[in-house]
Amino acid sequence: MILLAAACSPTPSAKQSASQPEPATVDTAVAGVAQSVANGPADFETPSGNVGCNYIPDGGNGIYHSPDGGAELICDRIEPAYVRLSLSAHGISTVEPQVRDTGCCGGPVLPYGAHWQGGPFQCGMRENGLTCSNADGHGFTLSRSEVRAR
């Protein structure tokens, strides 16, 4: 399904244009993660492999466009129950407990202690879970034991 492609397998465009958003960045020297998020759309997963995220910049990624056309961060948790959280640039995150296209995850590992930033989003990876927020300070925490939207 199209959302599966957006949630877990982004396809960055071959050409970068001057109108594309700020590139995503990671504040760690992990080369695999830094290279994969340097040019727009990005995907990454937690060290456990249980949570995977996909960043879609403003305007989409050529396959998927967010409902409002703006940037979106989509994260899937596999166990103990599959759940998807979506976060737009503004407003609270959305929890989708019944996901039809469960095919998560992939991408480079965001190690414990690392921080990721793309567009209006920032995430921090800790041993007790992944916490992400948008420009408004809304976001979520996602781990094997917790799903908390705010």
Side-chain angles (χ1 to χ4, degrees):
M1 297 192 135
I2 292 175
L3 189 53
L4 173 62
C8 298
S9 302
T11 305
S13 64
K15 290 199 285 190
Q16 294 291 324
S17 71
S19 64
Q20 286 194 331
E22 293 283 323
T25 59
V26 175
D27 73 352
T28 182
V30 178
V33 176
Q35 289 173 359
S36 74
V37 299
N39 296 312
D43 60 339
F44 60 88
E45 67 178 51
T46 61
S48 69
N50 194 42
V51 174
C53 296
N54 183 253
Y55 162 62
I56 311 296
D58 281 331
N61 68 1
I63 294 174
Y64 172 80
H65 300 278
S66 69
D68 67 2
E72 185 174 29
L73 183 65
I74 303 167
C75 295
D76 289 4
R77 181 193 71 182
I78 300 170
E79 296 289 336
Y82 205 103
V83 65
R84 175 170 294 152
L85 283 99
S86 300
L87 184 62
S88 62
H90 300 284
I92 62 171
S93 57
T94 303
V95 179
E96 218 180 306
Q98 303 217 340
V99 181
R100 293 184 203 198
D101 58 346
T102 58
C104 186
C105 295
V109 172
L110 185 65
Y112 295 122
H115 292 84
W116 173 90
Q117 184 172 351
F121 310 109
Q122 50 188 340
C123 297
M125 184 68 242
R126 302 214 188 310
E127 287 188 34
N128 62 347
L130 178 69
T131 300
C132 298
S133 61
N134 63 14
D136 295 340
H138 295 290
F140 57 83
T141 298
L142 192 55
S143 69
R144 189 172 300 277
S145 62
E146 182 178 17
V147 175
R148 182 172 34 113
R150 52 179 167 61

